[in-house]
Amino acid sequence: MRVFPCLIIVLGVMLAGLAHPVSAATWHVAPHGSDDAGNGSPNAPFATITAGLDAASPGDTVLVAPGDYWGRVRLRGDFSQPVTVRSEVPYQARLRNNETVVTCYYGRGIVLEGFDIAHDGPGAGALVVHIQNLRDDGGEVADITLANNVFHDSFNNDLLKINNGAHHVLVQSNLFYNQEGSDEHMDINSAVHVTVVDNVFFNDFEGSNRPNANDTSSFIVIKDSNGRDDAYLGSQDILVARNIFFHWQGSSGANCVLVGEDGNPYHEAQSVIIENNLVLGDSQSVMRAPFGVKGGADIIIRHNTVSGDLPSRAHSVRLNQEGDNPPNQNITIAGNIFSDPTGSMGAPSASDTPDFSDTPRGQTRDWVLRGNLVFNGGRGLPSNSEDLINPGDDPMLVQADPGLALPRNIPLPRWNPGRGTFGDGSASIRQVFESLVHTYAEPFQGGGGLDFTLDAADPNLAPYDDILGTPRQGPPDIGCFER
């Protein structure tokens, strides 16, 4: 057998690396530390996360002690193996500032995990967390993970903005509440390969002693405001999956998830999948529709569960053009549950007419509606000749009670640092998440939802797992939960 010399050299290097592994270091940060006198050891910690990152090498950990940290945290450094910045005790390291609290403008390969992050109060500058590419050396802002954090109480703009060419960003198992004004929990704006999974989104302004003006925008918007000013035209390859949205307190013109917003003359987002999400209608505030698309292309909305009297102006989707948008193109709506057991589906008030979708004709091309369950409390399903999409257009439509608990009086899972628990009694964000899923997404025993399955032949009809990450069995169940 012939062995190439270069291969022998490569194998030798690999074996040498295995024989003598490089140990990853842990750098300590504490409120009583010092960036000047400290060395990052347990006995001489740094005072700031930024100093810990500046000292770190690929694969290291920056461990942050409980306490309050004031001022901006700069996630910077180019790491070929991720550096993990972790709160030593989940949610007990509190990051606060009167302007942007956390920025990642020059970082690659960084994980931020386990923090309580918010503005310090009214009058703050814009944004709580901001990820964008400001590098002028040809480098990338990429491979950034935000995991198991509590993002809350922006007093100016979004809780989280990901924009201007950032890519490969993972937002997983976080809890979001209370943005400010006509802005979002999360603005994904001219970014690609962004994955948003396993998060909990809600609002509770009163719990923060703030007025609820019903003027906030969508929980998540996916768009492109700046055209060709960065590397990408349109946000691309975005996954919004296995999230929970509830206790709406926003504008009647906004959505849980909105694709496109600014009326630009191009598709503001392409290749977006919205799947396995749970939307609960436990609020009296009116939303536009759970899902919206304005100038989007190749958008899949599948196996979500929308349950309860939202109320809303449309109970499923709004598909339209805004400003100079081209028509929406190639929209798939498949395998979802749209259930309003109160019988007022898509009616903002008792005097309004129920409405399944708001889909003006001529504003969407190439669409598929297939295999959805629609339940309106035993009453007739809404239908409007002016809309492009009505339940009767679904050739595999299921009309039956899915057997879901009515979402009412849900304990709001605000984080209480003094008690060390969330408002529902959970000790972790994951516990909050699983409790809501099992209570409101899982059909009760004897409920018809246990029997609703779909033909899995069309790959667009079903994801491979459900809201809990459980592999789906063929044929898959309708909605976000697989029994």
Side-chain angles (χ1 to χ4, degrees):
M1 181 179 67
R2 182 182 181 189
V3 180
F4 293 95
C6 59
L7 180 58
I8 294 175
I9 294 172
V10 171
L11 289 173
V13 171
M14 292 175 63
L15 291 173
L18 292 173
H20 304 284
V22 177
S23 298
T26 297
W27 305 90
H28 294 266
V29 176
H32 64 273
S34 170
D35 288 353
D36 295 326
N39 59 16
S41 67
N43 295 326
F46 296 123
T48 67
I49 290 170
T50 303
L53 280 169
D54 288 347
S57 297
D60 286 356
T61 296
V62 178
L63 193 63
V64 184
D68 296 322
Y69 298 83
W70 300 91
R72 178 167 294 187
V73 174
R74 293 172 172 83
L75 302 182
R76 65 191 185 195
D78 196 321
F79 302 106
S80 57
Q81 296 294 322
V83 169
T84 298
V85 180
R86 178 182 297 120
S87 174
E88 184 176 7
V89 180
Y91 328 123
Q92 292 291 0
R94 293 172 289 277
L95 311 183
R96 299 290 187 269
N97 198 11
N98 63 358
E99 54 180 6
T100 310
V101 185
V102 178
T103 60
C104 184
Y105 298 158
Y106 306 97
R108 182 175 72 94
I110 300 172
V111 178
L112 186 73
E113 180 181 332
F115 292 88
D116 171 349
I117 309 173
H119 278 150
D120 63 3
L127 303 173
V128 173
V129 178
H130 192 190
I131 301 172
Q132 65 171 331
N133 190 350
L134 295 184
R135 297 180 65 162
D136 57 7
D137 59 357
E140 301 175 324
V141 172
D143 303 322
I144 306 299
T145 296
L146 306 176
N148 197 32
N149 302 287
V150 180
F151 300 109
H152 66 102
D153 288 298
S154 170
F155 286 86
N156 188 338
N157 214 284
D158 308 317
L159 289 171
L160 169 60
K161 190 179 187 75
I162 304 168
N163 71 321
N164 289 348
H167 67 90
H168 287 89
V169 178
L170 172 62
V171 183
Q172 184 168 26
S173 295
N174 304 281
L175 187 141
F176 293 80
Y177 58 92
N178 296 353
Q179 75 272 51
E180 170 66 19
S182 184
D183 288 290
E184 294 80 27
H185 283 187
M186 189 182 309
D187 182 356
I188 302 170
N189 194 333
S190 197
V192 304
H193 299 296
V194 178
T195 300
V196 182
V197 293
D198 303 326
N199 303 283
V200 177
F201 299 86
F202 69 100
N203 273 338
D204 177 24
F205 290 105
E206 296 89 346
S208 297
N209 297 314
R210 301 171 60 180
N212 172 25
N214 288 125
D215 63 350
T216 50
S217 292
S218 303
F219 286 133
I220 299 174
V221 67
I222 305 163
K223 62 181 183 179
D224 185 346
S225 300
N226 66 359
R228 297 188 181 277
D229 288 349
D230 57 35
Y232 308 117
L233 181 65
S235 288
Q236 303 168 33
D237 298 317
I238 311 297
L239 175 64
V240 179
R242 305 195 313 250
N243 302 287
I244 299 174
F245 305 92
F246 74 109
H247 207 67
W248 178 258
Q249 292 188 325
S251 162
S252 62
N255 314 81
C256 290
V257 183
L258 175 61
V259 177
E261 185 179 50
D262 292 338
N264 287 314
Y266 48 83
H267 287 124
E268 293 187 29
Q270 305 171 45
S271 300
V272 177
I273 297 177
I274 303 168
E275 68 182 19
N276 284 333
N277 299 288
L278 175 63
V279 178
L280 299 175
D282 66 318
S283 168
Q284 297 303 307
S285 299
V286 177
M287 75 169 64
R288 191 65 180 80
F291 309 114
V293 182
K294 300 180 178 184
D298 302 319
I299 314 297
I300 297 174
I301 302 171
R302 64 185 182 185
H303 284 266
N304 303 283
T305 295
V306 178
S307 176
D309 180 13
L310 296 176
S312 60
R313 295 164 67 185
H315 199 267
S316 61
V317 298
R318 185 188 188 205
L319 308 178
N320 68 303
Q321 291 172 262
E322 187 83 10
D324 296 327
N325 283 158
N328 297 310
Q329 184 173 337
N330 195 18
I331 310 297
T332 298
I333 305 167
N336 303 284
I337 290 176
F338 299 108
S339 173
D340 182 355
T342 70
S344 63
M345 176 172 283
S349 68
S351 61
D352 293 305
T353 302
D355 193 14
F356 177 72
S357 77
D358 282 335
T359 49
R361 294 181 178 276
Q363 298 189 24
T364 298
R365 300 189 309 223
D366 303 322
W367 56 275
V368 172
L369 182 73
R370 186 178 178 197
N372 300 279
L373 183 153
V374 184
F375 177 62
N376 191 29
R379 300 182 182 181
L381 301 185
S383 184
N384 188 334
S385 61
E386 295 182 3
D387 285 321
L388 179 67
I389 297 176
N390 289 287
D393 297 312
D394 187 336
M396 297 176 61
L397 175 67
V398 175
Q399 299 183 63
D401 184 350
L404 302 174
L406 182 63
R408 284 181 177 171
N409 302 316
I410 301 174
L412 301 181
R414 299 175 56 85
W415 170 240
N416 187 320
R419 295 179 181 174
T421 61
F422 292 87
D424 66 344
S426 297
S428 69
I429 294 172
R430 187 61 188 178
Q431 287 181 13
V432 171
F433 185 93
E434 291 184 359
S435 176
L436 288 168
V437 169
H438 287 299
T439 303
Y440 297 106
E442 183 176 357
F444 57 78
Q445 291 298 321
L450 293 171
D451 300 321
F452 297 139
T453 58
L454 289 176
D455 180 355
D458 185 341
N460 285 336
L461 280 181
Y464 71 90
D465 63 1
D466 77 346
I467 190 169
L468 293 176
T470 303
R472 290 186 179 269
Q473 307 298 319
D477 293 340
I478 299 176
C480 69
F481 188 86
E482 184 80 10
R483 68 182 188 278

